[in-house]
Amino acid sequence: MIHSLFLINHSGDIFLEKHWKSVVSHSVCDYFFEAKEKAVDPEDVPPVLQTPHHYLITVHRDQLFFLSVVQTEVPPLFVIEFLHRVADTFQDYFGECSESVIKDNVVTVYELLEEMLDNGFPLATESNILKELIRPPTILRSVVNTLTGSSNVGDTLPTGQLSTVPWRRADVKYTNNEAYFDVIEEIDAILDKSGTTVFAEIQGVIEACVRLTGMPDLTMSFMNPRLLDDVSFHPCVRFKRWESERTLSFIPPDGHFTLMNYHVSSQNPVAIPVYVKQNISFFESGPCGRLDITIGPKQTMGKTVEALMVKIHMPKAVLSANLTATQGNYTYDLPNKLLIWDIGKLNPQKLPNLKGILSLQAGAAKPEDNPSLNIDLRIQQVAISGSPRFVSTYNWATVFSHCSICFSPLCTGLKVSRLEMFGEKYKPFKGVKYVTKAGKFQVRT
Amino acid sequence: MENRQFGSKMTDSKYFTTTKKGEIFELKAELNSDKKEKKKEAVKKVIASMTVGKDVSALFPDVVNCMQTDNLELKKLVYLYLMNYAKSQPDMAIMAVNTFVKDCEDANPLIRALAVRTMGCIRVDKITEYLCEPLRKCLKDEDPYVRKTAAVCVAKLHDINAQLVEDQGFLDTLKDLISDSNPMVVANAVAALSEIAESHPNSNLLDLNPQTINKLLTALNECTEWGQIFILDCLANYTPRDDRESQSICERVTPRLSHANSAVVLSAVKVLMKFMEMLPKDLDYYGTLLKKLAPPLVTLLSAEPELQYVALRNINLIVQRRPEILKHEMKVFFVKYNDPIYVKLEKLDIMIRLASQANIAQVLAELKEYSTEVDVDFVRKAVRAIGRCAIKVEQSAERCVSTLLDLIQTKVNYVVQEAIVVIKDIFRKYPNKYESVIATLCENLDSLDEPEARAAMIWIVGEYAERIDNADELLESFLEGFHDESTQVQLQLLTAIVKLFLKKPTETQELVQQVLSLATQDSDNPDLRDRGYIYWRLLSTDPVAAKEVVLAEKPLISEETDLIEPTLLEELICHIGTLASVYHKPPSAFVEGSRGVQHKRISGNAVSGESVESPDNGSAAGVTEAPPAVIQSHGDLLGDLLNLDLTPPTTTGPPPPSSSGMQMGAMDLLGGGLDSLMGDESEPPSIPLRTDTPSPQLPHQSPSPPDYSPTELGGDLGGNPAMGAGFGGPPAVMPASFNAPVGGGLDDLFDLGSGVGMPMGAFNPPKTVWLPAMKAKGLEISGTFVRRAGVIQMEMNLTNKAMSVMTDFAIQFNRNSFGLASAGPLQILTPLSPNQSIEAALPLSTVGPIMKMEPLNNLQVAVKNNIDVFYFSCQYPISMLFVEDGKMERQVFLATWKDIPNENESQFQIKDCHLNSDAASNKLQSSNIFTIAKRTVEGQDMLYQSMKLTNGIWVLAELRVQAGNPNYTISLKCRAPEVNQCVFQNYESVLKN
């Protein structure tokens, strides 16, 4: 199983190491550094490396490398999943996952790692359980602790540890009982030069934020569940109910969690919200080129496209860009050869355009590689009078009756039809928000 | 943990600011303070110092004093300290034992669990002794949290002192925990047992039967995601009794495909892929299952890049085994601009594997797009992929070639070079079709600076010398810098010029002289020199023969060049999700240490988990470090025997490359000598097997003396003691000239000669009449089977006893027990006139469809000619199926022999055999029956032998030979006992001929 963990920053310093069995010398990381030298970008370092006596399995998160050492045959996905879980836990505890934060909380980090793994076997990785074992640091608590002498380590057996719902802690109490769900769909797409879709698919996720007292049992049903044929669930979801009734039935964890991921494959038609007309060309003679990009709405389901942004990776020879944008601002990041055009809201009446001259290094040959455009955008549900997160006085029924007369803004048209709660007597506030975003949305030139 | 928990630069935390002098003294005072809070802060400071590498071991007694506290955090911190320093201060660590033992009885289960957990992490012998009693109690604790922690603790203790764990009976307690009522306890027990089992191959620790499987499946639904992984990986080792059980397990595992944890998903895929093999393909459920597998695999590709990478490596295996699962999902493998390079390269591979006529246009468009990207490695692979498409999808070849020509026009150096390398392959696949492009290729001759591209270009020039007017000039231009070229280019150049000479002898005599002298006189590369000499002699003795050899028609290259060999693929499918699956190497090839890994095979009745194979030499370079095998004392005879033979500890020597049978013979008999000559120098030589004094030899059977091939040489070396001695005691003085032809040089020669026969010492039955003329309208077929250098051939004599000419011969086999199928067409090119007879050799493969025959070695054949179709059946000696690497390691043999149940053993008598045991052993070895050990008890020689069938089934044998008694006794053990009868018959025929 997992033998050791090393945390390494971008400049190659090992700033934390933890061993769950015997100590492995940190010289084992040299093999990793060697691979890192060879890679063009830090994210290009292969995740599984073989050394004479060990395997190194690495994930790259938040500018840090989480490098684990294993000695025997271990499923690498198991290790990778676990490492991501470690990073998630740091994020969860300290608000960010960075070198300085980890160093600031080194004793807590150390205690956490000790609780998460025993002899290389995962022990407690659920946020709820960990928080019962080791309370996250807060300014308030450290003041209280100093005054009262109490500790930030729990001294009872974490209740979730052995129950059949390990993800939920017992005795949860709230004065305001709320359950919010964000249905977010990301479009991954590749469009070719002419604007034809080469490939497009949807990655959907339902993020939940549930603050409900006691042991609520929730049921969520959809208007059109047949869209969901490729799903993965949080362990709390009862799979049998899903198979037979196509409803999500679950006792939710407390706080934020991902209820479900779904995937709508490239075989289904996917609505592409914008089109891009572009022409980037370099002259055979003379060290310059021309750029002309226009973006317009395509299938937006009647909603406004917001937070529109175009990123272009320029060929190495491009020195500067002298362009005019009819809307928004552009910047050219010379060291990374990245042209960013921040457009904002897309106005269908007046299409944004970016046009001008690119100048190349003197004497440089005409670039061989074609730049590629990456698009960011966001479409939000506006029909339910603002985001329900801010309307917690709305009761659920209102939100949904309102909802059923408007179209879902999602590419797939997925819609939640009802959400019911059993097991508890109070009436919770409930809300759903729909968001469509560009994921890896790429236009070739 | 030697004082180095953390690296440098730890400046931020408040615990790191104490740098003044007398720091230790101050901490000591604080640790002994009466105030709880002060104590805790002090321990925190100590821990923080420890983690930055400061030595705070001097505080050991003071810290341990803080251990007796109700404050859980303080206790945990002290435990952290203890785990760190106990090893360096074992005597003082004993001070902590009492507290540990007391804590193990605490009323709070969390404390009990924590104590037993920490004790297991302290790797000090004295402490582990005290651990046993508390551990025993904790394993039976009423609280499941304590039990599950204790289960892991057994694995820890086993790592420190395996013997202790066995003596204390903890393994049995652990096995009982598989039936625990709490799913997490079950999962941890499985995890602990799996880890322990890794160091005990064949130990049957995880004895899976339908009852335990049922318990595991119940726990699977209720335990944590990590527990699910352990349980699924364990399930994958089980072999269901029938397809019904298979299906019911699959049904219960399928819901795991929707888990958010990708490791759970992939482990579930493994179980399903394996158990699916046992389902009949016409079952409705089979199709349903296939459909269910695609979406989760696709979903894995939207995860983080690291997860994608592992998923892609596994999908690569899955599409080779079952292409139908993902055949409609081509698009998800399209490369995205911001994918990391390691993901891009893997996606490309899978795109090629999924390419078919239906989607080839899309694929080509993508590949062309990729070939303009920035990353050089990726562009190269994309160009190469275009070539692979051409070879794989014939209809697309023309489009691929024109795409490649477009790319050559870009003049981007590395693109041009890659394109030329793949065009060479296209020429070989579609001869006489695209040679018109040669002129374009020749234009780029000067820009080629990579050996592979230069070699490819030279090959093209040599192969098509007659169409290129200035071929001699082109080749001559390469000759100038001959010695600066890489070997690959030199060899190609040599061959190309010889080809040119044979095609245009008049103008190129000088050139060929020049290259031959460069290769033979001025080079010290043995491959090059040997090839040069061979050409030289060929050309000088018989130019016509030379022409036949050098310009022989080359076999077409296969459609997919880099498919994983089927048996390896089968094994890897059973290891989906493991490191083996990421590296596409058998698990035995690289798992650290001697910890063997059970070989897994899928086929229903075949053996699963049968043996541990010695690591594959080729792939293991530098990774496998087999420590000396320690044989534990076994009371029985077999154990004694193996101890005898093993007195000097052996290491796993490199097994011979499976491609050539003759190497095997030579290597085994010569022991380590040849290994060290041919193989990796660092490999310690293995100990020659037969250390006893060889008894006088019977004359060695030697077929056709003029063909004195290295095989013969090898065979005699071992078989004849005089010869062996003649070669000198230390085999390291083997003459280099012997070594060289065994290596690459000879392989090359065989390529040239395309099928120079290699008589083996193996027994081949004489030809018998299979199809009498009266039953087949005048066609008489007699034949036999031979195995040469790992290739099975059916040798036939076809005689035309009718009055008319026979043409259009073809042959086909019915499904048979071992999947024998013809590996090529029946080569009878000329019509067979009346009264004429012709010999034909048909190479056979063992990857055909399988159906159990009665008798097992029965083969039903259909032969067609212009007159009719005729059917006959014949029986092949089962030794045809014995592979060259069928020699089992001794320890494995022992373990396997014990492991195979006694009811699978069969005993036979071989009568009237007058060989002594050594001669018998030699004879058998030439049929790939390998003697692993020999023991003599009261004048009776016992030979322990192993052989491996092409489908991976091992057969173990004990052959008893009594001096002066012509009757041998043979016991055969095999997991598939139905082969025993056949094997026995084979022994009889080999020994009596």
Side-chain angles (χ1 to χ4, degrees):
Chain A
M1 292 291 121
I2 299 171
H3 209 288
S4 303
L5 172 72
F6 295 91
L7 296 189
I8 301 169
N9 64 19
H10 263 196
S11 42
D13 303 319
I14 303 169
F15 64 93
L16 186 138
E17 52 184 284
K18 166 86 182 127
H19 307 271
W20 284 274
K21 294 184 168 187
S22 50
V23 176
V24 178
S25 157
H26 62 272
S27 62
V28 77
C29 298
D30 293 349
Y31 295 96
F32 169 77
F33 294 134
E34 212 172 284
K36 186 169 165 272
E37 281 300 302
K38 278 191 210 138
V40 185
D41 287 318
E43 50 266 33
D44 282 342
V45 186
V48 185
L49 293 169
Q50 196 176 359
T51 81
H53 302 282
H54 302 94
Y55 289 87
L56 308 180
I57 300 179
T58 321
V59 305
H60 182 247
R61 275 278 294 261
D62 304 303
Q63 313 291 309
L64 297 178
F65 293 104
F66 290 69
L67 183 149
S68 68
V69 181
V70 301
Q71 208 161 9
T72 48
E73 178 63 85
V74 176
L77 276 187
F78 161 95
V79 182
I80 294 172
E81 281 276 1
F82 178 80
L83 293 176
H84 279 295
R85 211 59 64 82
V86 171
D88 292 342
T89 307
F90 291 167
Q91 176 83 37
D92 189 24
Y93 262 70
F94 313 124
E96 61 173 308
C97 177
S98 69
E99 185 181 353
S100 61
V101 150
I102 291 172
K103 279 179 174 173
D104 278 346
N105 296 286
V106 69
V107 177
T108 312
V109 164
Y110 204 68
E111 286 172 334
L112 278 173
L113 291 175
E114 190 62 34
E115 288 301 338
M116 291 181 81
L117 221 50
D118 178 23
N119 193 38
F121 299 112
L123 194 61
T125 53
E126 285 285 341
S127 155
N128 281 306
I129 295 174
L130 282 171
K131 281 184 178 159
E132 277 186 64
L133 287 168
I134 300 156
R135 304 212 172 97
T138 60
I139 295 168
L140 184 67
R141 180 154 328 108
S142 60
V143 172
V144 172
N145 282 356
T146 349
L147 291 177
T148 62
S150 68
S151 121
N152 72 331
V153 168
D155 54 2
T156 52
L157 188 61
T159 45
Q161 198 72 305
L162 285 167
S163 76
T164 45
V165 280
W167 53 85
R168 188 171 180 87
R169 64 193 168 90
D171 306 326
V172 182
K173 283 201 179 67
Y174 288 103
T175 42
N176 288 327
N177 287 296
E178 305 168 311
Y180 297 116
F181 296 89
D182 292 359
V183 187
I184 302 165
E185 290 190 349
E186 291 194 358
I187 311 168
D188 286 354
I190 302 174
L191 308 185
D192 73 3
K193 260 185 236 154
S194 60
T196 317
T197 310
V198 176
F199 156 86
E201 61 178 15
I202 306 284
Q203 309 293 346
V205 61
I206 302 183
E207 298 282 1
C209 177
V210 177
R211 299 181 201 283
L212 298 174
T213 306
M215 274 283 166
D217 200 328
L218 303 180
T219 309
M220 179 186 270
S221 33
F222 300 95
M223 300 278 281
N224 32 18
R226 78 203 133 62
L227 286 167
L228 305 171
D229 61 342
D230 180 6
V231 285
S232 51
F233 298 121
H234 188 278
C236 68
V237 176
R238 295 181 182 100
F239 191 75
K240 284 233 169 76
R241 274 290 285 285
W242 170 257
E243 286 240 294
S244 56
E245 299 167 30
R246 297 272 137 176
T247 54
L248 297 181
S249 157
F250 56 99
I251 295 173
D254 186 40
H256 288 275
F257 66 98
T258 302
L259 178 63
M260 168 172 102
N261 285 290
Y262 60 95
H263 172 256
V264 179
S265 76
S266 54
Q267 289 167 45
N268 300 14
V270 170
I272 302 290
V274 294
Y275 68 85
V276 180
K277 267 202 280 190
Q278 43 84 18
N279 181 20
I280 303 177
S281 55
F282 298 98
F283 305 124
E284 288 291 346
S285 56
C288 57
R290 185 180 289 150
L291 178 145
D292 188 348
I293 302 172
T294 309
I295 298 189
K298 206 170 167 188
Q299 291 154 291
T300 60
M301 284 121 337
K303 306 287 177 318
T304 317
V305 178
E306 298 168 65
L308 191 59
M309 190 192 275
V310 180
K311 290 182 190 160
I312 310 166
H313 288 268
M314 287 293 175
K316 281 196 188 75
V318 176
L319 267 191
S320 66
N322 187 7
L323 310 169
T324 328
T326 58
Q327 184 189 340
N329 300 313
Y330 78 91
T331 52
Y332 185 55
D333 171 5
L334 184 61
N336 294 318
K337 305 287 173 193
L338 187 63
L339 180 73
I340 300 173
W341 178 25
D342 190 348
I343 303 166
K345 212 174 253 182
L346 180 66
N347 178 357
Q349 268 69 53
K350 192 167 163 285
L351 298 181
N353 169 274
L354 182 70
K355 197 169 166 178
I357 300 292
L358 301 169
S359 41
L360 271 64
Q361 222 159 358
K366 184 187 165 206
E368 277 145 12
D369 47 308
N370 297 332
S372 163
L373 276 59
N374 286 290
I375 313 256
D376 276 346
L377 59 84
R378 188 181 171 87
I379 302 172
Q380 286 205 36
Q381 168 69 292
V382 286
I384 48 172
S385 53
S387 160
R389 175 130 327 154
F390 307 108
V391 286
S392 49
T393 46
Y394 264 66
N395 84 32
W396 187 248
T398 334
V399 170
F400 278 91
S401 61
H402 202 126
C403 207
S404 56
I405 45 168
C406 68
F407 292 106
S408 156
L410 299 176
C411 302
T412 53
L414 183 73
K415 232 178 73 185
V416 175
S417 59
R418 62 198 298 168
L419 186 110
E420 291 160 296
M421 188 185 77
F422 306 94
E424 295 289 337
K425 296 223 158 63
Y426 55 85
K427 275 228 179 280
F429 299 120
K430 304 175 269 190
V432 176
K433 179 168 75 172
Y434 301 94
V435 181
T436 295
K437 286 202 267 191
K440 292 172 182 160
F441 192 114
Q442 175 192 337
V443 183
R444 290 174 178 159
T445 62
Chain B
M1 297 182 208
E2 273 71 34
N3 311 359
R4 280 204 54 95
Q5 286 301 331
F6 291 83
S8 54
K9 295 182 204 145
M10 199 70 63
T11 50
D12 302 325
S13 178
K14 59 175 171 166
Y15 302 116
F16 300 106
T17 51
T18 48
T19 47
K20 27 184 179 348
K21 282 189 183 167
E23 181 189 350
I24 296 278
F25 185 75
E26 262 177 41
L27 283 172
K28 210 178 180 80
E30 283 174 39
L31 284 170
N32 291 311
S33 152
D34 296 336
K35 285 185 194 151
K36 237 193 221 168
E37 193 51 29
K38 202 155 199 181
K39 260 192 185 175
K40 197 173 83 188
E41 286 302 299
V43 177
K44 274 195 173 178
K45 283 182 199 165
V46 173
I47 300 282
S49 305
M50 175 181 96
T51 57
V52 288
K54 286 183 194 160
D55 185 8
V56 284
S57 59
L59 297 167
F60 202 95
D62 309 280
V63 177
V64 172
N65 274 338
C66 302
M67 193 170 155
Q68 297 214 24
T69 169
D70 311 332
N71 184 314
L72 194 63
E73 187 182 20
L74 184 55
K75 201 181 259 299
K76 281 189 175 178
L77 289 170
V78 175
Y79 281 175
L80 279 179
Y81 178 90
L82 267 175
M83 284 190 252
N84 219 16
Y85 283 114
K87 189 135 201 201
S88 54
Q89 313 231 354
D91 295 331
M92 289 217 266
I94 292 294
M95 291 166 48
V97 163
N98 273 335
T99 320
F100 275 129
V101 175
K102 216 175 107 208
D103 282 357
C104 285
E105 316 240 317
D106 196 283
N108 182 345
L110 193 61
I111 306 263
R112 293 203 295 277
L114 184 66
V116 76
R117 187 175 132 201
T118 313
M119 260 180 117
C121 293
I122 297 179
R123 307 172 75 89
V124 173
D125 284 343
K126 283 180 190 159
I127 298 231
T128 35
E129 283 167 26
Y130 287 99
L131 173 61
C132 291
E133 278 319 302
L135 179 58
R136 198 187 315 282
K137 270 187 209 152
C138 288
L139 280 168
K140 306 216 157 123
D141 198 287
E142 51 169 23
D143 192 302
Y145 181 70
V146 181
R147 290 202 299 278
K148 91 173 190 162
T149 313
V152 175
C153 190
V154 175
K156 291 183 197 170
L157 189 59
H158 187 270
D159 196 32
I160 302 168
N161 189 343
Q163 195 58 46
L164 188 68
V165 170
E166 277 169 43
D167 296 346
Q168 296 281 332
F170 285 141
L171 292 182
D172 293 325
T173 323
L174 204 51
K175 279 191 222 167
D176 293 343
L177 287 184
I178 292 189
S179 318
D180 198 281
S181 57
N182 183 289
M184 268 322 294
V185 178
V186 176
N188 274 16
V190 167
L193 281 171
S194 306
E195 190 174 80
I196 294 171
E198 237 187 282
S199 54
H200 280 271
N202 300 327
S203 58
N204 246 344
L205 271 179
L206 280 160
D207 182 22
L208 299 175
N209 54 49
Q211 286 77 38
T212 45
I213 290 295
N214 198 31
K215 278 170 190 148
L216 291 180
L217 286 168
T218 312
L220 180 63
N221 286 327
E222 292 168 20
C223 64
T224 68
E225 50 196 315
W226 314 110
Q228 295 184 12
I229 301 170
F230 298 139
I231 291 179
L232 287 168
D233 285 347
C234 177
L235 278 178
N237 291 326
Y238 178 65
T239 309
R241 289 159 307 174
D242 51 30
D243 52 321
R244 199 172 303 160
E245 192 185 8
S246 230
Q247 178 174 346
S248 93
I249 295 176
C250 287
E251 279 166 357
R252 293 176 71 177
V253 166
T254 318
R256 298 300 120 209
L257 292 174
S258 298
H259 202 284
N261 185 319
S262 60
V264 175
V265 175
L266 200 57
S267 289
V269 169
K270 161 164 58 188
V271 174
L272 296 174
M273 281 294 288
K274 185 183 168 190
F275 288 9
M276 227 166 122
E277 300 280 340
M278 284 157 228
L279 298 177
K281 294 213 165 43
D282 46 2
L283 197 70
D284 285 347
Y285 182 70
Y286 178 85
T288 320
L289 198 53
L290 270 186
K291 279 197 203 101
K292 281 193 174 165
L293 278 169
L297 289 172
V298 170
T299 302
L300 290 178
L301 296 179
S302 52
E304 285 84 358
E306 298 94 1
L307 297 168
Q308 280 188 47
Y309 171 73
V310 177
L312 285 165
R313 292 294 286 172
N314 281 285
I315 288 173
N316 199 327
L317 297 173
I318 292 168
V319 296
Q320 286 186 57
R321 181 82 195 167
R322 302 206 173 277
E324 62 271 31
I325 294 178
L326 288 167
K327 67 179 174 205
H328 298 303
E329 301 289 348
M330 170 63 91
K331 282 185 172 179
V332 297
F333 299 102
F334 284 1
V335 171
K336 287 173 191 137
Y337 183 82
N338 35 11
D339 284 336
I341 181 74
Y342 56 82
V343 168
K344 286 184 177 175
L345 295 176
E346 290 306 319
K347 281 187 172 173
L348 256 188
D349 246 356
I350 295 169
M351 282 173 68
I352 308 289
R353 296 215 191 281
L354 291 176
S356 65
Q357 205 184 332
N359 56 25
I360 193 73
Q362 263 181 337
V363 174
L364 267 183
E366 281 295 301
L367 292 175
K368 201 173 173 188
E369 190 71 40
Y370 303 159
S371 57
T372 62
E373 280 227 22
V374 198
D375 192 287
V376 177
D377 284 343
F378 179 59
V379 172
R380 282 174 180 274
K381 195 156 182 179
V383 175
R384 221 164 254 235
I386 296 174
R388 278 169 67 189
C389 282
I391 289 164
K392 189 167 177 207
V393 187
E394 186 164 357
Q395 295 81 356
S396 76
E398 196 154 341
R399 221 173 328 164
C400 294
V401 171
S402 78
T403 309
L404 288 168
L405 284 179
D406 287 350
L407 290 172
I408 289 177
Q409 298 305 341
T410 62
K411 303 276 176 199
V412 178
N413 187 283
Y414 53 84
V415 173
V416 174
Q417 310 214 41
E418 285 299 325
I420 285 180
V421 172
V422 294
I423 286 179
K424 178 202 78 180
D425 288 342
I426 297 177
F427 283 171
R428 282 203 60 186
K429 169 78 184 179
Y430 309 108
N432 305 318
K433 219 166 163 189
Y434 300 109
E435 282 77 1
S436 53
V437 308
I438 289 176
T440 323
L441 303 185
C442 289
E443 287 166 21
N444 292 286
L445 207 64
D446 299 332
S447 64
L448 308 180
D449 53 8
E450 287 162 23
E452 205 182 352
R454 285 172 83 83
M457 193 65 220
I458 292 170
W459 183 87
I460 293 171
V461 174
E463 188 65 19
Y464 299 102
E466 68 274 21
R467 306 184 192 202
I468 306 171
D469 294 338
N470 59 344
D472 49 343
E473 281 172 36
L474 294 177
L475 292 176
E476 201 172 356
S477 69
F478 282 102
L479 213 51
E480 283 163 18
F482 188 77
H483 289 298
D484 302 328
E485 300 282 2
S486 71
T487 311
Q488 186 185 15
V489 179
Q490 288 175 333
L491 287 170
Q492 252 345 311
L493 195 52
L494 173 61
T495 307
I497 292 178
V498 172
K499 279 184 195 164
L500 173 70
F501 171 71
L502 290 167
K503 287 175 179 175
K504 302 178 180 174
T506 45
E507 311 126 61
T508 56
Q509 203 153 5
E510 214 172 291
L511 196 61
V512 80
Q513 295 258 331
Q514 205 182 339
V515 76
L516 286 175
S517 89
L518 279 171
T520 54
Q521 282 155 31
D522 302 340
S523 168
D524 41 12
N525 179 327
D527 281 357
L528 185 63
R529 224 170 34 205
D530 290 347
R531 196 189 279 196
Y533 277 125
I534 287 162
Y535 282 142
W536 201 323
R537 270 180 217 155
L538 263 175
L539 292 173
S540 55
T541 47
D542 189 354
V544 181
K547 204 160 187 166
E548 272 171 33
V549 171
V550 179
L551 301 181
E553 200 165 304
K554 278 162 282 298
L556 293 183
I557 55 175
S558 74
E559 305 214 332
E560 290 224 43
T561 40
D562 56 349
L563 284 179
I564 295 175
E565 189 248 329
T567 51
L568 176 60
L569 181 63
E570 267 189 27
E571 197 183 345
L572 288 174
I573 287 287
C574 296
H575 285 97
I576 281 175
T578 63
L579 287 163
S581 72
V582 172
Y583 282 95
H584 292 184
K585 286 177 192 168
S588 51
F590 61 89
V591 168
E592 167 81 1
S594 62
R595 306 186 155 195
V597 169
Q598 300 210 324
H599 269 229
K600 297 174 190 166
R601 289 279 142 79
I602 338 186
S603 40
N605 61 345
V607 200
S608 73
E610 175 156 331
S611 75
V612 178
E613 235 176 36
S614 55
D616 174 20
N617 183 35
S619 52
V623 183
T624 324
E625 273 211 350
V630 180
I631 297 285
Q632 276 146 11
S633 53
H634 297 278
D636 60 309
L637 291 171
L638 259 172
D640 289 345
L641 153 79
L642 291 165
N643 277 336
L644 270 183
D645 256 18
L646 279 169
T647 20
T650 54
T651 38
T652 43
S658 54
S659 59
S660 56
M662 50 94 181
Q663 266 175 290
M664 184 69 199
M667 200 134 80
D668 275 332
L669 293 165
L670 284 169
L674 207 55
D675 291 3
S676 52
L677 268 176
M678 307 199 311
D680 185 350
E681 292 292 315
S682 63
E683 290 281 354
S686 62
I687 307 300
L689 181 60
R690 298 181 304 114
T691 45
D692 50 336
T693 336
S695 38
Q697 289 294 303
L698 290 180
H700 194 263
Q701 79 284 16
S702 62
S704 49
D707 278 322
Y708 215 66
S709 75
T711 326
E712 270 309 294
L713 199 54
D716 270 347
L717 274 176
N720 185 336
M723 267 287 266
F727 257 108
V733 297
M734 283 293 297
S737 61
F738 180 76
N739 178 23
V742 179
L746 206 57
D747 288 350
D748 284 347
L749 179 59
F750 292 146
D751 285 350
L752 293 167
S754 59
V756 178
M758 284 266 315
M760 283 270 296
F763 159 69
N764 298 316
K767 281 184 183 152
T768 49
V769 175
W770 285 338
L771 182 69
M774 26 184 319
K775 280 195 177 173
K777 301 184 181 165
L779 174 66
E780 183 183 280
I781 300 179
S782 59
T784 184
F785 295 87
V786 296
R787 183 181 180 98
R788 287 189 185 121
V791 178
I792 307 170
Q793 282 201 346
M794 185 165 166
E795 290 190 344
M796 283 172 290
N797 241 336
L798 289 85
T799 311
N800 182 353
K801 295 195 171 167
M803 303 301 285
S804 58
V805 176
M806 294 178 177
T807 56
D808 303 332
F809 286 96
I811 193 163
Q812 200 166 11
F813 297 167
N814 194 3
R815 292 195 285 172
N816 54 74
S817 317
F818 294 93
L820 280 175
S822 56
L826 186 60
Q827 295 278 346
I828 298 173
L829 302 169
T830 48
L832 196 58
S833 336
N835 276 329
Q836 198 194 352
S837 153
I838 192 165
E839 291 201 359
L842 182 70
L844 305 183
S845 72
T846 52
V847 293
I850 291 172
M851 181 170 80
K852 191 172 169 190
M853 300 296 289
E854 192 56 47
L856 212 56
N857 57 343
N858 198 22
L859 183 66
Q860 295 178 335
V861 185
V863 169
K864 177 191 105 58
N865 64 10
N866 58 333
I867 300 167
D868 204 345
V869 183
F870 312 104
Y871 302 92
F872 64 89
S873 67
C874 52
Q875 289 176 14
Y876 48 91
I878 200 163
S879 61
M880 291 306 111
L881 304 168
F882 294 165
V883 298
E884 280 68 19
D885 61 347
K887 184 164 185 170
M888 206 177 241
E889 261 184 81
R890 272 155 268 188
Q891 339 35 335
V892 181
F893 182 89
L894 173 62
T896 315
W897 183 276
K898 289 169 83 180
D899 203 31
I900 299 179
N902 281 337
E903 57 266 30
N904 284 11
E905 181 172 344
S906 325
Q907 210 172 61
F908 304 93
Q909 290 273 325
I910 301 173
K911 291 194 171 126
D912 292 327
C913 189
H914 297 282
L915 300 167
N916 69 14
S917 61
D918 289 309
S921 164
N922 283 330
K923 251 190 159 174
L924 291 167
Q925 169 136 358
S926 52
S927 295
N928 291 336
I929 299 172
F930 299 98
T931 304
I932 291 165
K934 179 185 155 179
R935 190 164 64 100
T936 310
V937 177
E938 294 163 2
Q940 194 176 33
D941 288 338
M942 324 263 255
L943 297 175
Y944 295 92
Q945 300 174 318
S946 75
M947 59 224 90
K948 183 174 151 194
L949 294 171
T950 43
N951 58 358
I953 295 183
W954 286 90
V955 184
L956 311 185
E958 182 198 61
L959 184 65
R960 268 179 267 164
V961 183
Q962 179 103 43
N965 182 350
N967 295 346
Y968 293 4
T969 311
I970 180 159
S971 304
L972 294 169
K973 260 192 163 186
C974 177
R975 281 188 219 255
E978 46 280 47
V979 305
N980 288 354
Q981 181 67 31
C982 274
V983 174
F984 157 65
Q985 286 165 1
N986 191 63
Y987 263 84
E988 214 170 24
S989 49
V990 171
L991 288 171
K992 291 189 177 173
N993 284 285

